[in-house]
Amino acid sequence: MTTTPFSVIQGGIREEGRWSAELRHPASLREAEVAAWRALLPRALSPGFAGDPDFVLTLAQHLAEGRRLALLLVWQHGDGMPVLRGVLPLQLPAGLRPGRTAQLWVLPLAEGAAPVVDARETAAILRAALDHLAGAGSRVGTLRLPGLLPAGRLIAALREVAAASGRPLTVASRPAPGPAAGPLPTLPRGRTSLERVRAPRQLRDAVEHFLVLEGARPGPNLLHDADAATALRVVTRRFAQRRACGVDLVRRDGAVVAAAIRLGPAGQDRIWREAGCALAPARERPGVMLLDAAVSVAPARRAADGERRSA
């Protein structure tokens, strides 16, 4: 692990600290590191199931599809044990030629990339991450961060770090992508019943009900991809072990006509996937623009030195 001492100016307040970052294979994390990751989630800029280790590590195991994946862990050191401040799932470039682009991994079965960044230390985390990638051995020249919110704190912190260190930064806007599949049909009229399943023993059968409905959807669906179906089963099983998964089943005349998988603790859960029929009318969302950012990992002085050596 490379430790990089530096000072950071954030919001006009100068903070001294010792920071370190490390690139790790997803399968190499130990239980204590996973626990530190989970403890970071409530402090994250965007808390939610997509940044949960049970979600990210499962997708990395089953849906890597030949990508070179790594987790960039950022730690802050002080009195006592180091504190995990950031987890950035990355897709690393293939090949050995230096100067290539790494990017935040856009997670399958999710809405996009899901960096987990402590909201109180965003700029310092990005600085430590970029400094580490700029070190010898990474062969990364640029870090790409797709799908950022224009008014979000992550792009604001990235601009701050780039300006303070002289790192070249490019930002382009694009419309947010629409849903991967077509809209679900509305729930048929008539007497229906809603069953909310949260007990782990019953969840497995409820997930299979969901997959039956998913398989009946025209066009590509999860049952056409054995790895994706396996990943869904494993995610729900892991979340269920923590009482953080539920499945809503809607029955009509005894038959299940709609199902929704929810992830997160009771009362804070969110719908992850729906199948069969929509449980509520679809709401039109106003056009949303996202930002794709690309920043040099090396500060301006180091980048200039590299150009002179290659000349």
Side-chain angles (χ1 to χ4, degrees), residues 23-72:
L23 278 173
R24 297 282 298 277
H25 189 281
S28 73
L29 263 61
R30 298 179 289 268
E31 290 184 8
E33 293 160 332
V34 173
W37 181 350
R38 192 165 287 123
L40 169 62
L41 290 174
R43 310 192 307 270
L45 277 176
S46 302
F49 63 81
D52 190 288
D54 282 339
F55 193 84
V56 177
L57 295 178
T58 298
L59 300 191
Q61 178 183 359
H62 294 281
L63 297 176
E65 296 179 344
R67 302 179 184 92
R68 291 185 63 215
L69 301 180
L71 300 172
L72 183 53

Side-chain angles (χ1 to χ4, degrees), residues 26-310:
S28 73
L29 263 61
R30 298 179 289 268
E31 290 184 8
E33 293 160 332
V34 173
W37 181 350
R38 192 165 287 123
L40 169 62
L41 290 174
R43 310 192 307 270
L45 277 176
S46 302
F49 63 81
D52 190 288
D54 282 339
F55 193 84
V56 177
L57 295 178
T58 298
L59 300 191
Q61 178 183 359
H62 294 281
L63 297 176
E65 296 179 344
R67 302 179 184 92
R68 291 185 63 215
L69 301 180
L71 300 172
L72 183 53
L73 308 182
V74 179
W75 303 85
Q76 184 179 26
H77 302 261
D79 297 333
M81 295 292 292
V83 177
L84 186 63
R85 295 294 188 186
V87 180
L88 281 68
L90 298 182
Q91 181 178 337
L92 299 178
L96 299 178
R97 180 171 58 83
R100 295 192 175 187
T101 299
Q103 76 162 42
L104 289 177
W105 183 33
V106 178
L107 301 177
L109 307 184
E111 296 179 354
V116 183
V117 177
D118 193 317
R120 296 171 295 184
E121 301 286 356
T122 307
I125 293 162
L126 292 175
R127 168 86 178 263
L130 292 171
D131 282 351
H132 183 76
L133 290 175
S138 77
R139 299 183 179 272
V140 172
T142 303
L143 177 62
R144 182 171 177 267
L145 298 89
L148 304 183
L149 295 174
R153 292 171 64 181
L154 196 58
I155 186 62
L158 184 62
R159 286 187 167 117
E160 176 187 338
V161 171
S165 59
R167 288 175 163 95
L169 170 67
T170 60
V171 179
S173 61
R174 62 175 171 85
L184 294 174
T186 57
L187 199 64
R189 294 183 178 181
R191 182 173 296 178
T192 59
S193 63
L194 172 64
E195 179 185 4
R196 290 190 161 165
V197 182
R198 291 195 74 90
R201 288 187 177 181
Q202 285 73 47
L203 265 170
R204 183 172 63 179
D205 291 341
V207 168
E208 294 307 312
H209 278 301
F210 169 89
L211 286 172
V212 169
L213 292 175
E214 171 73 16
R217 175 183 293 187
N221 60 67
L222 285 176
L223 289 188
H224 293 156
D225 186 337
D227 291 336
T230 297
L232 182 138
R233 290 185 174 104
V234 175
V235 164
T236 54
R237 184 176 71 245
R238 289 182 175 178
F239 275 75
Q241 290 169 350
R242 298 156 40 207
R243 298 281 179 170
C245 179
V247 179
D248 292 348
L249 299 177
V250 177
R251 299 178 188 272
R252 184 183 183 193
D253 298 329
V256 177
V257 295
I261 298 177
R262 295 177 174 270
L263 298 180
Q268 304 174 29
D269 53 355
R270 291 176 51 196
I271 290 179
W272 173 30
R273 310 279 300 188
E274 288 185 285
C277 299
L279 300 188
R283 294 182 300 175
E284 291 189 7
R285 297 193 307 171
V288 177
M289 299 298 292
L290 299 178
L291 301 180
D292 292 339
V295 61
S296 172
V297 302
R301 184 173 58 185
R302 194 179 307 178
D305 290 344
E307 290 173 2
R308 285 193 293 269
R309 283 195 297 269
S310 63

